[in-house]
Amino acid sequence: MKYISTRGGMAPQSFSDILLEGLAPDGGLAIPEQLPRLDADTLESWRGLSYPALAVKVLGLFADDIPAAELERLVHAAYAPGVFADDEVVPLRPLSEGISLLGLSEGPTLAFKDMAMQFLGQVFEYVLTQRGTTLNILGATSGDTGSAAEYALRGKRGVQVFMLSPHGRMSAFQRAQMFSLQDANIHNIAVNGVFDDCQDIVKALAGDLEFKSKYRLGAVNSINWARIAAQVVYYFHGWLKATSGPGQQVSFAVPSGNFGNVLSGHIARSMGLPVRRLVVATNENNVLEEFFRSGIYRPRDAVHTYKTSSPSMDISRASNFERFVFDLVGRDGARVADLWRELAKTGQFDLSAELPRFESEYGFVAGASSHGDRLSTIRSVFSADGLMIDPHTADGLHVARQYVEPGIPMLVLETALPAKFSETLEEALGRRAPLPPALADLENRPQRVDVLDNDAEAVRQYVMARAQL
C-alpha cells in the first residue's frame, strides 16, 4: 500500500516512510492511495479472534512493507497481557438503556489514546532500528495524547519526545501523568495558550521543511496515519462483539475534538464495515457539530475556545478533519489545498452544498453537550448501572441517546477512566472516582515541566538545544 497527501503534493510513499514523516511536505496529511475493501466472508472469518490477532489482520492491510512476522511480534508486544487491565483489551459493557460502552481506557494511562500509542511505541523503535536513525517527536496534547505517547515512548531507543500542552488547561491528574515522568528522553512544555496554539506551533515547525529534516521531526498526534490505522482496529472489534451475523449494522458515538477517533470509524466504514451512523459528539466547543449541521467549517480563535469540564475536547481546529474533507470532495488534493488557503484567508469555508451527503453517504450525524448535560448523564449512568463514566464519555453518551434506533446496537466509545477527572465526578456524584492502586500517589510525585510563551521560535530553540541528531 502507498500513501499520498490530502493536498496532492507528495509522491506515493510506504507506511514506514509516512510513519516517520508526520505532516506531508505540502502541509497535508498522509492518506492511503486506495483503501482496502473487505467483504462479508472476510469479516465473518475474523469472529473469535483475540484483540491482538485482529489487530494483526487489520494493521497488516496498512503496514504491508513491514514483514508479517515482525508486524505480528510488534502488535502482540503492544497488546501483551499486563499492558491493558482487561484480558479482552477492549471489553464491551452493556448499559441498561440499550447502549453499550466500548471500553478503550484499560491501558497504562487510562485513556483511549493508549490503544494506538502502544503500537506506535513498538513500530517507531523497530523502524528506527532498521534504518539506523533517530527521531525527535514534536506533539501537542489537550490532555490524553501526551501521557499516552510519553508512556509508550519513554526509554525507547533513538526517540526524544517534545510534548506541548496548554498551561493550566488540563486536569490535575492529566498534568501529573505527564509531568511526573523523569525519563531523559521526555520533555514537557506547557505553552501559555490553548490547545490550538500548541497545535499551530507543531504545524509551523513541521512545515519548515529544512528544520524538520535537519532535526528529524516526527509526530505522534493523530496527523500520523499509524495512529488512525491502529484505531481502526477497535471499530472492527466492537462490531464483532456487538453483532452475531453478517451484514448487521451498528452505530458508534464518538466524543470528538481533533476528529482522529471518529475518522478511524469513517475509514472502517469505507473499508466495508457495516456501520449505520457515526455520531460526532462535541462539548461547548462545537465547531464540528456546526459543520455537520450547516456545512460551514468555522474554527474559533483562542479567546473563543472555551475551557470546559471535558478538557480533552477543548479544540476548535480539528487536524484530522482534512482527511474527511479529502474524501468529501472526491479525493481532489488541489481542491483541499484551495479550501485550506480559503480557511487561512477568511477563517472559514462553505461545503453546505454537500450537506445531504454527510449522513446518506458517510453516516455522519452530530450533537453537542454542555456541562449540565455531562453532570446529569454521569448521574443517570451511576444510578441505573452503578458505573462511573468520565465527562468526555458522558458527552458521547448524551449525544448518542438522540440517535438510538431499534435493532441497531449503539456503541459509545469510552474516552478515559473517570479517575482522570475526579473534580467533575465529585461535582456530579458527591464522591471522587477511585484511583488504581498503582497511581494513588500520582499527584504527589515530583513534576518536571518547562513553561514557554505561545511562540514558535521559543519552542524551536528549546527543541534545537535538546534534540537527538
Side-chain angles (χ1 to χ4, degrees), residues 13-64:
Q13 296 189 29
S14 70
F15 175 85
S16 295
D17 289 332
I18 63 155
L19 173 74
L20 301 183
E21 279 292 321
L23 204 64
D26 63 357
L29 303 180
I31 195 84
E33 206 168 25
Q34 187 173 355
L35 283 174
R37 291 286 301 180
L38 302 171
D39 59 26
D41 289 342
T42 300
L43 293 176
E44 289 304 306
S45 73
W46 291 353
R47 287 197 186 275
L49 291 181
S50 67
Y51 193 89
L54 177 64
V56 170
K57 295 285 189 184
V58 176
L59 289 168
L61 299 171
F62 295 110
D64 57 0

Coordinates of all heavy atoms in Angstrom, one line a residue, residues 13-64:
Q13 N 4.3 7.1 -1.0 CA 5.3 6.6 0.0 C 4.8 5.4 0.7 O 3.6 5.1 0.7 CB 5.7 7.7 1.0 CG 6.3 8.9 0.4 CD 6.9 9.9 1.5 OE1 7.2 9.5 2.6 NE2 6.9 11.2 1.2
S14 N 5.7 4.7 1.3 CA 5.3 3.5 2.1 C 4.9 3.8 3.5 O 5.0 5.0 3.9 CB 6.6 2.6 2.2 OG 7.5 3.1 3.1
F15 N 4.3 2.9 4.2 CA 3.9 3.1 5.6 C 5.0 3.5 6.4 O 4.9 4.5 7.2 CB 3.3 1.7 6.1 CG 2.9 1.8 7.5 CD1 1.6 2.3 7.9 CD2 3.7 1.4 8.5 CE1 1.3 2.3 9.3 CE2 3.4 1.4 9.9 CZ 2.1 1.9 10.2
S16 N 6.2 2.9 6.3 CA 7.3 3.2 7.2 C 7.8 4.6 6.9 O 8.2 5.3 7.8 CB 8.5 2.2 7.0 OG 8.1 0.9 7.4
D17 N 7.7 5.1 5.7 CA 8.1 6.4 5.3 C 7.2 7.5 6.0 O 7.7 8.4 6.6 CB 8.1 6.7 3.8 CG 9.2 5.9 3.1 OD1 10.3 5.7 3.8 OD2 9.0 5.6 1.9
I18 N 5.9 7.3 5.9 CA 5.0 8.3 6.4 C 4.9 8.2 8.0 O 4.6 9.1 8.6 CB 3.6 8.1 5.8 CG1 2.9 6.8 6.1 CG2 3.6 8.4 4.4 CD1 1.4 6.8 6.2
L19 N 5.3 7.0 8.5 CA 5.3 6.8 10.0 C 6.3 7.8 10.5 O 6.1 8.5 11.6 CB 5.8 5.4 10.3 CG 6.1 5.1 11.8 CD1 4.8 5.0 12.6 CD2 6.9 3.9 11.9
L20 N 7.5 8.0 9.9 CA 8.5 8.9 10.4 C 8.3 10.4 9.9 O 8.9 11.3 10.5 CB 9.9 8.4 9.9 CG 10.3 7.0 10.3 CD1 11.7 6.7 9.9 CD2 10.2 6.8 11.8
E21 N 7.5 10.6 8.9 CA 7.3 11.9 8.4 C 6.4 12.8 9.1 O 6.6 14.0 9.3 CB 6.9 11.9 6.9 CG 8.0 11.6 5.9 CD 9.0 12.7 5.8 OE1 8.5 13.9 5.8 OE2 10.2 12.5 5.7
G22 N 5.3 12.2 9.6 CA 4.2 13.1 10.2 C 3.5 13.9 9.2 O 2.9 13.3 8.2
L23 N 3.6 15.2 9.2 CA 2.9 16.1 8.3 C 3.6 15.9 6.9 O 4.8 15.8 6.8 CB 3.1 17.5 8.7 CG 2.1 18.6 8.2 CD1 0.7 18.2 8.7 CD2 2.5 20.0 8.7
A24 N 2.8 15.8 5.8 CA 3.3 15.7 4.5 C 4.1 17.0 4.1 O 3.8 18.1 4.6 CB 2.2 15.5 3.5
P25 N 5.0 16.9 3.1 CA 5.8 18.0 2.8 C 5.0 19.2 2.2 O 5.4 20.4 2.4 CB 6.7 17.5 1.7 CG 6.8 16.0 1.9 CD 5.5 15.6 2.5
D26 N 3.8 18.9 1.7 CA 3.0 20.0 1.2 C 2.0 20.6 2.2 O 1.2 21.4 1.9 CB 2.2 19.6 -0.1 CG 1.2 18.4 0.2 OD1 1.2 18.0 1.4 OD2 0.5 18.0 -0.7
G27 N 2.2 20.2 3.5 CA 1.3 20.7 4.5 C 0.1 19.8 4.7 O -0.7 20.1 5.7
G28 N -0.2 18.8 3.9 CA -1.3 18.0 4.0 C -1.1 16.8 4.9 O 0.0 16.7 5.6
L29 N -2.0 15.8 4.9 CA -1.9 14.6 5.7 C -1.8 13.4 4.9 O -2.5 13.3 3.8 CB -3.1 14.5 6.7 CG -3.4 15.7 7.6 CD1 -4.6 15.5 8.4 CD2 -2.2 16.0 8.5
A30 N -1.0 12.4 5.3 CA -0.9 11.2 4.5 C -2.2 10.4 4.6 O -2.9 10.4 5.6 CB 0.2 10.3 5.1
I31 N -2.6 9.8 3.5 CA -3.8 9.0 3.3 C -3.6 7.9 2.4 O -2.8 8.1 1.4 CB -5.0 9.9 2.9 CG1 -6.4 9.3 3.1 CG2 -4.8 10.4 1.4 CD1 -7.0 9.5 4.4
P32 N -4.1 6.7 2.6 CA -3.9 5.6 1.6 C -4.3 6.0 0.2 O -5.4 6.7 0.0 CB -4.8 4.5 2.1 CG -4.9 4.7 3.6 CD -4.9 6.2 3.7
E33 N -3.5 5.7 -0.8 CA -3.8 5.9 -2.2 C -5.2 5.3 -2.5 O -6.0 5.8 -3.3 CB -2.7 5.3 -3.1 CG -2.6 6.0 -4.4 CD -1.3 5.6 -5.1 OE1 -0.7 4.5 -4.8 OE2 -0.8 6.3 -5.9
Q34 N -5.4 4.1 -2.0 CA -6.7 3.4 -2.1 C -6.9 2.5 -0.9 O -6.0 1.8 -0.5 CB -6.7 2.5 -3.4 CG -8.0 1.9 -3.7 CD -8.0 1.2 -5.1 OE1 -7.0 1.2 -5.8 NE2 -9.0 0.5 -5.4
L35 N -8.1 2.6 -0.3 CA -8.4 1.8 0.9 C -8.7 0.4 0.5 O -9.4 0.1 -0.6 CB -9.6 2.4 1.6 CG -9.4 3.7 2.4 CD1 -10.7 4.2 3.0 CD2 -8.4 3.4 3.6
P36 N -8.3 -0.6 1.3 CA -8.7 -2.0 1.1 C -10.2 -2.1 1.3 O -10.8 -1.4 2.1 CB -7.9 -2.7 2.1 CG -7.6 -1.8 3.2 CD -7.5 -0.4 2.5
R37 N -10.9 -3.0 0.6 CA -12.3 -3.3 0.8 C -12.4 -4.7 1.3 O -11.8 -5.7 0.8 CB -13.0 -3.2 -0.6 CG -13.1 -1.7 -1.1 CD -14.1 -0.9 -0.3 NE -15.5 -1.5 -0.3 CZ -16.5 -0.9 0.3 NH1 -16.4 0.2 1.0 NH2 -17.7 -1.5 0.2
L38 N -13.2 -4.9 2.3 CA -13.4 -6.2 2.9 C -14.8 -6.7 2.7 O -15.8 -5.9 2.9 CB -13.1 -6.1 4.4 CG -11.7 -5.6 4.8 CD1 -11.6 -5.3 6.2 CD2 -10.7 -6.6 4.3
D39 N -15.0 -8.0 2.3 CA -16.3 -8.5 2.1 C -16.8 -9.2 3.3 O -16.1 -9.3 4.3 CB -16.3 -9.5 0.9 CG -15.4 -10.6 1.0 OD1 -15.1 -11.0 2.2 OD2 -14.9 -11.2 0.0
A40 N -18.1 -9.6 3.3 CA -18.7 -10.2 4.5 C -18.0 -11.5 4.9 O -17.9 -11.7 6.1 CB -20.2 -10.5 4.2
D41 N -17.6 -12.3 4.0 CA -16.9 -13.5 4.3 C -15.6 -13.3 5.1 O -15.3 -14.0 6.1 CB -16.6 -14.3 3.1 CG -17.8 -14.9 2.4 OD1 -18.9 -15.0 3.1 OD2 -17.7 -15.3 1.2
T42 N -14.9 -12.2 4.7 CA -13.6 -11.9 5.4 C -14.0 -11.5 6.8 O -13.3 -11.9 7.8 CB -12.9 -10.8 4.7 OG1 -12.5 -11.3 3.4 CG2 -11.6 -10.4 5.4
L43 N -15.0 -10.6 7.0 CA -15.3 -10.1 8.3 C -15.8 -11.3 9.2 O -15.4 -11.4 10.4 CB -16.4 -9.1 8.2 CG -16.1 -7.7 7.5 CD1 -17.3 -6.9 7.4 CD2 -15.0 -7.0 8.3
E44 N -16.6 -12.2 8.6 CA -17.0 -13.3 9.4 C -15.9 -14.3 9.8 O -15.9 -14.9 10.9 CB -18.1 -14.1 8.6 CG -19.4 -13.4 8.5 CD -20.0 -13.0 9.8 OE1 -20.2 -13.9 10.7 OE2 -20.3 -11.9 10.0
S45 N -14.9 -14.3 9.0 CA -13.7 -15.2 9.3 C -12.9 -14.6 10.5 O -12.1 -15.4 11.1 CB -12.8 -15.3 8.1 OG -12.1 -14.2 7.9
W46 N -13.2 -13.4 10.9 CA -12.4 -12.8 12.0 C -13.2 -13.0 13.3 O -12.6 -12.6 14.4 CB -12.2 -11.3 11.7 CG -11.3 -11.0 10.6 CD1 -10.5 -11.9 10.0 CD2 -11.0 -9.8 10.0 NE1 -9.7 -11.3 9.0 CE2 -10.0 -10.0 9.0 CE3 -11.4 -8.5 10.2 CZ2 -9.5 -8.9 8.2 CZ3 -10.9 -7.4 9.5 CH2 -10.0 -7.7 8.5
R47 N -14.4 -13.5 13.3 CA -15.1 -13.7 14.6 C -14.3 -14.7 15.5 O -13.8 -15.7 15.0 CB -16.5 -14.3 14.3 CG -17.4 -13.3 13.8 CD -18.9 -13.7 13.9 NE -19.7 -12.7 13.2 CZ -20.2 -11.6 13.8 NH1 -19.9 -11.3 15.0 NH2 -20.9 -10.8 13.1
G48 N -14.2 -14.3 16.7 CA -13.5 -15.2 17.7 C -12.0 -14.9 17.8 O -11.4 -15.4 18.7
L49 N -11.5 -14.0 17.0 CA -10.1 -13.6 17.1 C -9.9 -12.8 18.4 O -10.7 -12.0 18.8 CB -9.6 -12.8 15.9 CG -9.5 -13.5 14.6 CD1 -9.0 -12.6 13.5 CD2 -8.6 -14.7 14.7
S50 N -8.7 -13.0 19.0 CA -8.3 -12.1 20.1 C -8.1 -10.7 19.6 O -7.9 -10.5 18.4 CB -7.1 -12.6 20.8 OG -6.0 -12.6 19.9
Y51 N -8.0 -9.7 20.5 CA -7.7 -8.4 20.0 C -6.4 -8.3 19.3 O -6.3 -7.7 18.2 CB -7.8 -7.4 21.1 CG -7.9 -5.9 20.6 CD1 -9.1 -5.3 20.3 CD2 -6.7 -5.2 20.4 CE1 -9.1 -4.0 19.8 CE2 -6.7 -3.9 19.9 CZ -7.9 -3.4 19.6 OH -8.0 -2.1 19.0
P52 N -5.3 -8.8 19.8 CA -4.0 -8.8 19.1 C -4.1 -9.5 17.7 O -3.5 -9.0 16.8 CB -3.0 -9.5 20.0 CG -3.6 -9.3 21.4 CD -5.1 -9.4 21.2
A53 N -4.7 -10.6 17.7 CA -4.8 -11.3 16.4 C -5.6 -10.5 15.4 O -5.3 -10.5 14.2 CB -5.5 -12.7 16.6
L54 N -6.7 -9.9 15.8 CA -7.5 -9.0 14.9 C -6.6 -7.8 14.5 O -6.7 -7.4 13.3 CB -8.7 -8.5 15.6 CG -9.6 -7.5 14.9 CD1 -10.2 -8.2 13.6 CD2 -10.8 -7.0 15.8
A55 N -5.9 -7.2 15.4 CA -5.0 -6.1 15.1 C -4.0 -6.5 14.0 O -3.7 -5.7 13.1 CB -4.3 -5.5 16.3
V56 N -3.5 -7.7 14.1 CA -2.5 -8.1 13.1 C -3.2 -8.1 11.7 O -2.6 -7.7 10.7 CB -1.9 -9.5 13.4 CG1 -1.1 -10.1 12.2 CG2 -1.1 -9.4 14.7
K57 N -4.4 -8.6 11.6 CA -5.2 -8.7 10.4 C -5.4 -7.3 9.8 O -5.1 -7.0 8.6 CB -6.5 -9.4 10.6 CG -6.4 -10.8 11.0 CD -6.1 -11.7 9.8 CE -6.2 -13.2 10.2 NZ -5.8 -14.1 9.1
V58 N -5.9 -6.4 10.6 CA -6.2 -5.0 10.1 C -5.0 -4.2 9.8 O -4.8 -3.6 8.7 CB -7.1 -4.3 11.1 CG1 -7.4 -2.9 10.7 CG2 -8.4 -5.0 11.4
L59 N -4.0 -4.2 10.7 CA -2.8 -3.4 10.5 C -1.9 -3.9 9.4 O -1.2 -3.2 8.7 CB -2.0 -3.3 11.8 CG -2.6 -2.4 12.9 CD1 -1.9 -2.6 14.2 CD2 -2.6 -1.0 12.5
G60 N -2.1 -5.2 9.1 CA -1.3 -5.8 8.0 C -1.8 -5.3 6.7 O -1.0 -5.3 5.7
L61 N -3.0 -4.8 6.6 CA -3.5 -4.2 5.4 C -2.9 -2.8 5.1 O -2.7 -2.4 4.0 CB -5.0 -4.0 5.5 CG -5.8 -5.3 5.6 CD1 -7.3 -4.9 5.9 CD2 -5.7 -6.1 4.4
F62 N -2.5 -2.1 6.2 CA -1.9 -0.7 6.1 C -0.4 -0.7 6.1 O 0.2 0.2 5.6 CB -2.5 0.1 7.2 CG -3.9 0.4 7.1 CD1 -4.8 -0.2 8.1 CD2 -4.5 1.1 6.1 CE1 -6.2 0.0 8.0 CE2 -5.9 1.3 6.0 CZ -6.7 0.8 7.0
A63 N 0.2 -1.7 6.8 CA 1.7 -1.7 7.0 C 2.3 -2.9 6.3 O 3.1 -3.6 6.9 CB 2.0 -1.7 8.5
D64 N 2.0 -3.0 5.0 CA 2.4 -4.2 4.3 C 3.9 -4.1 3.9 O 4.4 -5.1 3.3 CB 1.6 -4.4 3.0 CG 1.5 -3.3 2.1 OD1 2.2 -2.2 2.3 OD2 0.9 -3.4 1.0

